[in-house]
Amino acid sequence: MFDPPIDLAKARILISNDDGIDAPGLKILEKVARGLCDDVWVVAPDAEQSASSHSLTLRSPLRINKLSDHHYSVDGTPTDCVLLAITHILKDRPPDLVLSGVNRGGNLGEDITYSGTVAAAMEGTLLNVPSIAFSQIYTPDQPVKWATAEHHLPDMIRRLTSVAWAKHVLINVNFPDRLAAEIEGVRVTRQGRRKIGGQNMLHVRKDPRGVPYYWIGGVRHRDHEETGSDLEASAEGAISVTPLYLDLTYDGLMPSLRKALS
Ligand code: MN
Protein backbone atom coordinates (compact mmCIF):
# COMPACT_ATOMS: atom_id res chain seq x y z
CA MET A 1 0.00 0.00 0.00
CA PHE A 2 1.31 3.47 -0.77
CA ASP A 3 0.21 6.75 0.69
CA PRO A 4 -1.93 8.62 -1.79
CA PRO A 5 -1.96 10.91 -3.45
CA ILE A 6 1.38 10.57 -5.24
CA ASP A 7 2.65 14.13 -5.59
CA LEU A 8 3.24 13.88 -9.32
CA ALA A 9 5.15 17.16 -9.54
CA LYS A 10 7.78 15.74 -7.15
CA ALA A 11 7.56 12.13 -8.30
CA ARG A 12 10.08 10.07 -10.21
CA ILE A 13 8.37 8.20 -13.02
CA LEU A 14 9.74 5.16 -14.87
CA ILE A 15 8.32 4.38 -18.32
CA SER A 16 8.64 1.10 -20.18
CA ASN A 17 6.71 -0.91 -22.76
CA ASP A 18 6.79 -4.05 -24.87
CA ASP A 19 6.62 -2.45 -28.34
CA GLY A 20 10.20 -1.24 -28.06
CA ILE A 21 12.14 1.97 -27.45
CA ASP A 22 11.09 3.59 -30.78
CA ALA A 23 7.36 2.87 -30.47
CA PRO A 24 4.98 5.83 -30.92
CA GLY A 25 2.96 4.86 -27.83
CA LEU A 26 6.07 5.09 -25.64
CA LYS A 27 6.82 8.58 -26.94
CA ILE A 28 3.25 9.69 -26.18
CA LEU A 29 3.43 8.31 -22.65
CA GLU A 30 6.78 10.04 -22.07
CA LYS A 31 5.43 13.34 -23.40
CA VAL A 32 2.40 13.14 -21.11
CA ALA A 33 4.55 12.16 -18.10
CA ARG A 34 6.90 15.11 -18.75
CA GLY A 35 3.87 17.37 -18.65
CA LEU A 36 3.15 16.08 -15.14
CA CYS A 37 6.67 15.98 -13.68
CA ASP A 38 10.34 16.68 -14.47
CA ASP A 39 11.90 13.41 -13.33
CA VAL A 40 10.92 10.95 -16.06
CA TRP A 41 13.08 7.96 -17.04
CA VAL A 42 12.59 5.66 -20.01
CA VAL A 43 13.99 2.11 -19.95
CA ALA A 44 12.52 -0.01 -22.74
CA PRO A 45 13.34 -3.04 -24.88
CA ASP A 46 15.54 -2.35 -27.92
CA ALA A 47 13.18 -4.42 -30.09
CA GLU A 48 9.50 -5.32 -30.08
CA GLN A 49 8.65 -7.77 -27.28
CA SER A 50 4.87 -8.01 -27.62
CA ALA A 51 3.36 -11.20 -26.15
CA SER A 52 6.60 -11.78 -24.23
CA SER A 53 4.50 -12.07 -21.09
CA HIS A 54 6.31 -11.86 -17.76
CA SER A 55 9.47 -13.55 -19.03
CA LEU A 56 12.76 -12.81 -17.38
CA THR A 57 16.10 -13.37 -19.12
CA LEU A 58 18.13 -15.72 -16.95
CA ARG A 59 20.23 -17.73 -19.42
CA SER A 60 21.99 -14.96 -21.29
CA PRO A 61 23.61 -11.65 -20.34
CA LEU A 62 21.76 -8.38 -20.69
CA ARG A 63 23.19 -5.14 -22.07
CA ILE A 64 22.02 -1.67 -21.16
CA ASN A 65 22.46 0.93 -23.87
CA LYS A 66 22.38 4.54 -22.65
CA LEU A 67 20.85 6.53 -25.51
CA SER A 68 20.78 9.91 -23.76
CA ASP A 69 20.17 11.32 -20.31
CA HIS A 70 17.12 9.49 -18.91
CA HIS A 71 16.80 7.14 -21.95
CA TYR A 72 18.04 3.55 -21.95
CA SER A 73 17.35 0.50 -24.06
CA VAL A 74 17.87 -3.09 -22.94
CA ASP A 75 18.29 -6.16 -25.17
CA GLY A 76 15.72 -8.06 -23.14
CA THR A 77 12.07 -8.27 -22.18
CA PRO A 78 9.84 -5.62 -20.54
CA THR A 79 10.33 -7.45 -17.24
CA ASP A 80 14.13 -7.24 -17.65
CA CYS A 81 13.83 -3.50 -18.34
CA VAL A 82 11.80 -2.69 -15.24
CA LEU A 83 13.96 -4.92 -13.04
CA LEU A 84 17.22 -3.35 -14.30
CA ALA A 85 15.76 0.15 -14.05
CA ILE A 86 14.57 -0.19 -10.45
CA THR A 87 17.41 -2.30 -9.07
CA HIS A 88 20.31 -0.77 -11.03
CA ILE A 89 19.78 2.37 -13.13
CA LEU A 90 17.58 4.12 -10.54
CA LYS A 91 18.89 2.32 -7.47
CA ASP A 92 19.83 5.58 -5.72
CA ARG A 93 16.23 6.70 -5.84
CA PRO A 94 13.62 4.19 -7.01
CA PRO A 95 10.67 5.47 -9.03
CA ASP A 96 7.40 6.41 -7.32
CA LEU A 97 5.38 5.20 -10.28
CA VAL A 98 5.86 2.82 -13.23
CA LEU A 99 3.89 3.53 -16.42
CA SER A 100 3.90 0.89 -19.17
CA GLY A 101 2.80 1.47 -22.76
CA VAL A 102 1.01 2.92 -24.46
CA ASN A 103 0.68 -0.47 -26.13
CA ARG A 104 -0.29 -0.65 -29.79
CA GLY A 105 -3.41 -2.77 -29.33
CA GLY A 106 -5.70 -3.67 -26.45
CA ASN A 107 -4.80 -5.88 -23.51
CA LEU A 108 -8.21 -7.26 -22.63
CA GLY A 109 -9.55 -10.52 -21.24
CA GLU A 110 -7.05 -13.35 -21.52
CA ASP A 111 -4.62 -11.11 -23.45
CA ILE A 112 -3.53 -9.89 -20.04
CA THR A 113 -1.78 -13.20 -19.37
CA TYR A 114 0.36 -12.91 -22.55
CA SER A 115 0.97 -9.19 -22.44
CA GLY A 116 4.45 -7.76 -22.09
CA THR A 117 2.87 -4.35 -21.41
CA VAL A 118 1.02 -5.68 -18.38
CA ALA A 119 4.11 -7.69 -17.37
CA ALA A 120 6.21 -4.52 -17.10
CA ALA A 121 3.59 -3.20 -14.67
CA MET A 122 3.62 -6.56 -12.87
CA GLU A 123 7.36 -6.31 -12.37
CA GLY A 124 7.04 -2.79 -10.99
CA THR A 125 4.33 -4.01 -8.62
CA LEU A 126 6.45 -6.97 -7.45
CA LEU A 127 9.25 -4.48 -6.71
CA ASN A 128 6.80 -2.42 -4.62
CA VAL A 129 6.32 0.45 -7.05
CA PRO A 130 2.71 1.38 -7.98
CA SER A 131 2.34 0.52 -11.67
CA ILE A 132 -0.15 1.18 -14.45
CA ALA A 133 -0.37 -0.46 -17.90
CA PHE A 134 -1.89 1.51 -20.80
CA SER A 135 -3.10 0.17 -24.14
CA GLN A 136 -4.73 1.78 -27.17
CA ILE A 137 -7.16 -0.52 -28.95
CA TYR A 138 -7.18 -0.24 -32.75
CA THR A 139 -8.70 -1.85 -35.79
CA PRO A 140 -6.27 -3.68 -38.10
CA ASP A 141 -5.57 -1.80 -41.37
CA GLN A 142 -6.71 1.48 -39.80
CA PRO A 143 -4.48 4.14 -38.24
CA VAL A 144 -4.08 3.82 -34.46
CA LYS A 145 -5.99 6.61 -32.71
CA TRP A 146 -3.02 7.69 -30.55
CA ALA A 147 -4.64 11.09 -29.97
CA THR A 148 -7.32 9.34 -27.88
CA ALA A 149 -4.76 7.96 -25.41
CA GLU A 150 -2.79 11.20 -25.42
CA HIS A 151 -5.87 13.30 -24.68
CA HIS A 152 -7.13 11.16 -21.80
CA LEU A 153 -3.80 10.09 -20.22
CA PRO A 154 -3.02 13.13 -18.03
CA ASP A 155 -6.34 13.11 -16.22
CA MET A 156 -6.28 9.31 -15.94
CA ILE A 157 -2.79 9.31 -14.36
CA ARG A 158 -3.78 12.12 -11.96
CA ARG A 159 -6.96 10.38 -10.87
CA LEU A 160 -5.43 6.91 -10.50
CA THR A 161 -2.58 8.23 -8.35
CA SER A 162 -5.03 10.09 -6.09
CA VAL A 163 -6.29 6.84 -4.51
CA ALA A 164 -4.45 4.09 -2.64
CA TRP A 165 -4.29 0.67 -4.14
CA ALA A 166 -3.20 -2.37 -2.16
CA LYS A 167 0.12 -4.16 -2.39
CA HIS A 168 0.22 -6.70 -5.27
CA VAL A 169 -2.35 -4.68 -7.23
CA LEU A 170 -1.68 -3.04 -10.58
CA ILE A 171 -4.02 -1.11 -12.85
CA ASN A 172 -4.73 -2.07 -16.47
CA VAL A 173 -6.14 0.75 -18.62
CA ASN A 174 -7.47 0.29 -22.18
CA PHE A 175 -8.46 3.20 -24.40
CA PRO A 176 -11.19 2.25 -26.91
CA ASP A 177 -10.88 2.56 -30.66
CA ARG A 178 -12.75 5.89 -30.71
CA LEU A 179 -11.84 9.51 -31.32
CA ALA A 180 -10.97 11.35 -28.09
CA ALA A 181 -14.17 13.41 -28.16
CA GLU A 182 -16.35 10.33 -28.74
CA ILE A 183 -15.35 8.41 -25.62
CA GLU A 184 -18.31 7.12 -23.60
CA GLY A 185 -16.82 7.80 -20.17
CA VAL A 186 -14.61 5.68 -17.92
CA ARG A 187 -15.67 2.33 -16.42
CA VAL A 188 -14.09 0.27 -13.68
CA THR A 189 -14.25 -3.25 -15.07
CA ARG A 190 -13.22 -6.83 -14.44
CA GLN A 191 -11.14 -9.04 -16.69
CA GLY A 192 -13.40 -10.47 -19.38
CA ARG A 193 -13.26 -13.71 -21.34
CA ARG A 194 -13.27 -14.45 -25.00
CA LYS A 195 -14.10 -17.72 -26.63
CA ILE A 196 -10.80 -19.33 -27.45
CA GLY A 197 -10.30 -22.28 -29.71
CA GLY A 198 -12.50 -23.41 -32.56
CA GLN A 199 -11.45 -23.74 -36.14
CA ASN A 200 -10.39 -20.15 -36.64
CA MET A 201 -7.77 -20.17 -33.95
CA LEU A 202 -5.10 -22.39 -35.44
CA HIS A 203 -4.12 -22.20 -39.10
CA VAL A 204 -2.68 -25.46 -40.40
CA ARG A 205 -0.96 -25.13 -43.78
CA LYS A 206 1.74 -26.83 -45.79
CA ASP A 207 5.05 -25.34 -46.78
CA PRO A 208 6.35 -25.70 -50.40
CA ARG A 209 7.89 -29.05 -49.46
CA GLY A 210 4.59 -30.39 -48.16
CA VAL A 211 5.56 -30.22 -44.48
CA PRO A 212 2.76 -28.89 -42.26
CA TYR A 213 3.21 -25.72 -40.27
CA TYR A 214 0.98 -24.07 -37.72
CA TRP A 215 0.12 -20.43 -37.23
CA ILE A 216 -1.65 -19.30 -34.07
CA GLY A 217 -4.12 -16.53 -34.85
CA GLY A 218 -7.68 -15.90 -35.85
CA VAL A 219 -10.40 -13.73 -34.40
CA ARG A 220 -11.70 -14.29 -30.91
CA HIS A 221 -15.20 -13.28 -29.93
CA ARG A 222 -16.37 -11.75 -26.73
CA ASP A 223 -18.59 -13.82 -24.51
CA HIS A 224 -21.72 -11.70 -24.72
CA GLU A 225 -23.15 -13.15 -21.51
CA GLU A 226 -20.65 -11.24 -19.48
CA THR A 227 -21.38 -7.73 -18.22
CA GLY A 228 -19.04 -5.32 -16.49
CA SER A 229 -15.98 -6.65 -18.31
CA ASP A 230 -13.08 -4.81 -19.93
CA LEU A 231 -14.20 -6.26 -23.28
CA GLU A 232 -17.73 -4.92 -22.89
CA ALA A 233 -16.58 -1.43 -21.86
CA SER A 234 -14.18 -1.08 -24.77
CA ALA A 235 -16.73 -2.46 -27.26
CA GLU A 236 -19.13 0.24 -26.05
CA GLY A 237 -16.56 3.01 -26.41
CA ALA A 238 -15.62 3.55 -22.76
CA ILE A 239 -12.14 3.69 -21.24
CA SER A 240 -11.69 0.47 -19.24
CA VAL A 241 -9.84 0.51 -15.90
CA THR A 242 -9.24 -2.90 -14.30
CA PRO A 243 -7.44 -3.48 -10.99
CA LEU A 244 -5.40 -6.71 -11.27
CA TYR A 245 -4.21 -8.71 -8.29
CA LEU A 246 -0.93 -10.61 -8.39
CA ASP A 247 -1.81 -13.19 -5.75
CA LEU A 248 -2.96 -15.90 -8.17
CA THR A 249 -4.31 -18.20 -5.44
CA TYR A 250 -7.91 -19.33 -6.01
CA ASP A 251 -9.35 -19.48 -2.50
CA GLY A 252 -12.58 -21.13 -3.66
CA LEU A 253 -10.90 -24.46 -4.37
CA MET A 254 -8.88 -24.69 -1.17
CA PRO A 255 -11.50 -26.37 1.09
CA SER A 256 -12.35 -29.19 -1.34
CA LEU A 257 -8.68 -29.65 -2.27
CA ARG A 258 -7.78 -29.97 1.40
CA LYS A 259 -10.54 -32.53 1.82
CA ALA A 260 -9.46 -34.54 -1.23
CA LEU A 261 -5.83 -34.50 -0.19
CA SER A 262 -6.22 -35.13 3.53
MN1 MN B 1 2.91 -4.65 -27.61
PDB file of all heavy atoms in Angstrom, residues 129-144:
ATOM      1  N   VAL A 129       6.572  -0.872  -6.471  1.00  0.00           N
ATOM      2  CA  VAL A 129       6.320   0.448  -7.055  1.00  0.00           C
ATOM      3  C   VAL A 129       4.923   0.414  -7.698  1.00  0.00           C
ATOM      4  O   VAL A 129       4.645  -0.476  -8.505  1.00  0.00           O
ATOM      5  CB  VAL A 129       7.379   0.811  -8.126  1.00  0.00           C
ATOM      6  CG1 VAL A 129       7.107   2.212  -8.668  1.00  0.00           C
ATOM      7  CG2 VAL A 129       8.787   0.710  -7.557  1.00  0.00           C
ATOM      8  N   PRO A 130       4.030   1.340  -7.339  1.00  0.00           N
ATOM      9  CA  PRO A 130       2.710   1.380  -7.980  1.00  0.00           C
ATOM     10  C   PRO A 130       2.865   1.471  -9.502  1.00  0.00           C
ATOM     11  O   PRO A 130       3.674   2.269  -9.985  1.00  0.00           O
ATOM     12  CB  PRO A 130       2.080   2.670  -7.425  1.00  0.00           C
ATOM     13  CG  PRO A 130       2.873   3.013  -6.214  1.00  0.00           C
ATOM     14  CD  PRO A 130       4.233   2.431  -6.389  1.00  0.00           C
ATOM     15  N   SER A 131       2.104   0.650 -10.229  1.00  0.00           N
ATOM     16  CA  SER A 131       2.340   0.517 -11.667  1.00  0.00           C
ATOM     17  C   SER A 131       1.027   0.483 -12.441  1.00  0.00           C
ATOM     18  O   SER A 131       0.051  -0.129 -12.001  1.00  0.00           O
ATOM     19  CB  SER A 131       3.119  -0.773 -11.949  1.00  0.00           C
ATOM     20  OG  SER A 131       4.344  -0.790 -11.237  1.00  0.00           O
ATOM     21  N   ILE A 132       1.047   1.122 -13.597  1.00  0.00           N
ATOM     22  CA  ILE A 132      -0.146   1.181 -14.449  1.00  0.00           C
ATOM     23  C   ILE A 132       0.240   0.786 -15.876  1.00  0.00           C
ATOM     24  O   ILE A 132       1.251   1.265 -16.400  1.00  0.00           O
ATOM     25  CB  ILE A 132      -0.749   2.609 -14.485  1.00  0.00           C
ATOM     26  CG1 ILE A 132      -0.908   3.179 -13.069  1.00  0.00           C
ATOM     27  CG2 ILE A 132      -2.086   2.608 -15.218  1.00  0.00           C
ATOM     28  CD1 ILE A 132      -1.290   4.663 -13.045  1.00  0.00           C
ATOM     29  N   ALA A 133      -0.564  -0.075 -16.501  1.00  0.00           N
ATOM     30  CA  ALA A 133      -0.368  -0.461 -17.904  1.00  0.00           C
ATOM     31  C   ALA A 133      -1.423   0.245 -18.756  1.00  0.00           C
ATOM     32  O   ALA A 133      -2.599   0.292 -18.387  1.00  0.00           O
ATOM     33  CB  ALA A 133      -0.501  -1.974 -18.055  1.00  0.00           C
ATOM     34  N   PHE A 134      -0.980   0.801 -19.892  1.00  0.00           N
ATOM     35  CA  PHE A 134      -1.893   1.514 -20.803  1.00  0.00           C
ATOM     36  C   PHE A 134      -1.853   0.873 -22.195  1.00  0.00           C
ATOM     37  O   PHE A 134      -0.762   0.574 -22.712  1.00  0.00           O
ATOM     38  CB  PHE A 134      -1.489   2.979 -20.952  1.00  0.00           C
ATOM     39  CG  PHE A 134      -1.624   3.783 -19.690  1.00  0.00           C
ATOM     40  CD1 PHE A 134      -0.504   4.105 -18.937  1.00  0.00           C
ATOM     41  CD2 PHE A 134      -2.864   4.219 -19.263  1.00  0.00           C
ATOM     42  CE1 PHE A 134      -0.620   4.850 -17.769  1.00  0.00           C
ATOM     43  CE2 PHE A 134      -3.001   4.968 -18.094  1.00  0.00           C
ATOM     44  CZ  PHE A 134      -1.872   5.290 -17.346  1.00  0.00           C
ATOM     45  N   SER A 135      -3.022   0.725 -22.792  1.00  0.00           N
ATOM     46  CA  SER A 135      -3.104   0.170 -24.141  1.00  0.00           C
ATOM     47  C   SER A 135      -4.129   0.939 -24.967  1.00  0.00           C
ATOM     48  O   SER A 135      -5.171   1.338 -24.443  1.00  0.00           O
ATOM     49  CB  SER A 135      -3.523  -1.313 -24.084  1.00  0.00           C
ATOM     50  OG  SER A 135      -2.615  -2.055 -23.285  1.00  0.00           O
ATOM     51  N   GLN A 136      -3.805   1.125 -26.237  1.00  0.00           N
ATOM     52  CA  GLN A 136      -4.732   1.785 -27.170  1.00  0.00           C
ATOM     53  C   GLN A 136      -5.258   0.731 -28.142  1.00  0.00           C
ATOM     54  O   GLN A 136      -4.495   0.181 -28.946  1.00  0.00           O
ATOM     55  CB  GLN A 136      -4.023   2.911 -27.937  1.00  0.00           C
ATOM     56  CG  GLN A 136      -4.859   3.586 -29.009  1.00  0.00           C
ATOM     57  CD  GLN A 136      -6.078   4.308 -28.427  1.00  0.00           C
ATOM     58  OE1 GLN A 136      -5.964   5.161 -27.563  1.00  0.00           O
ATOM     59  NE2 GLN A 136      -7.268   3.934 -28.913  1.00  0.00           N
ATOM     60  N   ILE A 137      -6.547   0.467 -28.058  1.00  0.00           N
ATOM     61  CA  ILE A 137      -7.164  -0.519 -28.952  1.00  0.00           C
ATOM     62  C   ILE A 137      -7.250   0.087 -30.353  1.00  0.00           C
ATOM     63  O   ILE A 137      -7.473   1.286 -30.503  1.00  0.00           O
ATOM     64  CB  ILE A 137      -8.568  -0.885 -28.429  1.00  0.00           C
ATOM     65  CG1 ILE A 137      -8.448  -1.475 -27.009  1.00  0.00           C
ATOM     66  CG2 ILE A 137      -9.273  -1.852 -29.373  1.00  0.00           C
ATOM     67  CD1 ILE A 137      -9.770  -1.553 -26.269  1.00  0.00           C
ATOM     68  N   TYR A 138      -7.039  -0.744 -31.379  1.00  0.00           N
ATOM     69  CA  TYR A 138      -7.181  -0.237 -32.746  1.00  0.00           C
ATOM     70  C   TYR A 138      -7.762  -1.331 -33.632  1.00  0.00           C
ATOM     71  O   TYR A 138      -7.851  -2.493 -33.235  1.00  0.00           O
ATOM     72  CB  TYR A 138      -5.833   0.256 -33.300  1.00  0.00           C
ATOM     73  CG  TYR A 138      -4.869  -0.840 -33.665  1.00  0.00           C
ATOM     74  CD1 TYR A 138      -4.663  -1.199 -34.999  1.00  0.00           C
ATOM     75  CD2 TYR A 138      -4.167  -1.527 -32.684  1.00  0.00           C
ATOM     76  CE1 TYR A 138      -3.781  -2.208 -35.340  1.00  0.00           C
ATOM     77  CE2 TYR A 138      -3.281  -2.549 -33.014  1.00  0.00           C
ATOM     78  CZ  TYR A 138      -3.099  -2.878 -34.347  1.00  0.00           C
ATOM     79  OH  TYR A 138      -2.235  -3.887 -34.673  1.00  0.00           O
ATOM     80  N   THR A 139      -8.155  -0.917 -34.809  1.00  0.00           N
ATOM     81  CA  THR A 139      -8.696  -1.852 -35.794  1.00  0.00           C
ATOM     82  C   THR A 139      -7.612  -2.110 -36.832  1.00  0.00           C
ATOM     83  O   THR A 139      -7.044  -1.146 -37.369  1.00  0.00           O
ATOM     84  CB  THR A 139      -9.935  -1.233 -36.484  1.00  0.00           C
ATOM     85  OG1 THR A 139     -10.865  -0.848 -35.460  1.00  0.00           O
ATOM     86  CG2 THR A 139     -10.598  -2.218 -37.433  1.00  0.00           C
ATOM     87  N   PRO A 140      -7.292  -3.388 -37.105  1.00  0.00           N
ATOM     88  CA  PRO A 140      -6.265  -3.677 -38.101  1.00  0.00           C
ATOM     89  C   PRO A 140      -6.548  -2.967 -39.428  1.00  0.00           C
ATOM     90  O   PRO A 140      -7.707  -2.805 -39.807  1.00  0.00           O
ATOM     91  CB  PRO A 140      -6.340  -5.202 -38.268  1.00  0.00           C
ATOM     92  CG  PRO A 140      -6.906  -5.690 -36.975  1.00  0.00           C
ATOM     93  CD  PRO A 140      -7.835  -4.602 -36.490  1.00  0.00           C
ATOM     94  N   ASP A 141      -5.496  -2.520 -40.092  1.00  0.00           N
ATOM     95  CA  ASP A 141      -5.571  -1.796 -41.372  1.00  0.00           C
ATOM     96  C   ASP A 141      -6.107  -0.370 -41.240  1.00  0.00           C
ATOM     97  O   ASP A 141      -6.363   0.291 -42.237  1.00  0.00           O
ATOM     98  CB  ASP A 141      -6.391  -2.561 -42.431  1.00  0.00           C
ATOM     99  CG  ASP A 141      -5.849  -3.948 -42.661  1.00  0.00           C
ATOM    100  OD1 ASP A 141      -4.607  -4.105 -42.615  1.00  0.00           O
ATOM    101  OD2 ASP A 141      -6.644  -4.884 -42.843  1.00  0.00           O
ATOM    102  N   GLN A 142      -6.331   0.077 -40.001  1.00  0.00           N
ATOM    103  CA  GLN A 142      -6.709   1.485 -39.801  1.00  0.00           C
ATOM    104  C   GLN A 142      -5.649   2.155 -38.926  1.00  0.00           C
ATOM    105  O   GLN A 142      -5.009   1.481 -38.123  1.00  0.00           O
ATOM    106  CB  GLN A 142      -8.063   1.575 -39.094  1.00  0.00           C
ATOM    107  CG  GLN A 142      -9.226   1.231 -40.016  1.00  0.00           C
ATOM    108  CD  GLN A 142     -10.555   1.364 -39.313  1.00  0.00           C
ATOM    109  OE1 GLN A 142     -10.686   2.090 -38.333  1.00  0.00           O
ATOM    110  NE2 GLN A 142     -11.543   0.643 -39.817  1.00  0.00           N
ATOM    111  N   PRO A 143      -5.466   3.477 -39.080  1.00  0.00           N
ATOM    112  CA  PRO A 143      -4.476   4.143 -38.239  1.00  0.00           C
ATOM    113  C   PRO A 143      -4.852   4.024 -36.756  1.00  0.00           C
ATOM    114  O   PRO A 143      -6.037   4.034 -36.414  1.00  0.00           O
ATOM    115  CB  PRO A 143      -4.541   5.612 -38.689  1.00  0.00           C
ATOM    116  CG  PRO A 143      -5.431   5.672 -39.863  1.00  0.00           C
ATOM    117  CD  PRO A 143      -6.170   4.380 -39.986  1.00  0.00           C
ATOM    118  N   VAL A 144      -3.832   3.891 -35.903  1.00  0.00           N
ATOM    119  CA  VAL A 144      -4.079   3.823 -34.462  1.00  0.00           C
ATOM    120  C   VAL A 144      -4.460   5.226 -33.980  1.00  0.00           C
ATOM    121  O   VAL A 144      -3.798   6.205 -34.327  1.00  0.00           O
ATOM    122  CB  VAL A 144      -2.819   3.327 -33.719  1.00  0.00           C
ATOM    123  CG1 VAL A 144      -3.096   3.188 -32.223  1.00  0.00           C
ATOM    124  CG2 VAL A 144      -2.334   1.994 -34.293  1.00  0.00           C
TER     125      VAL A 144
END
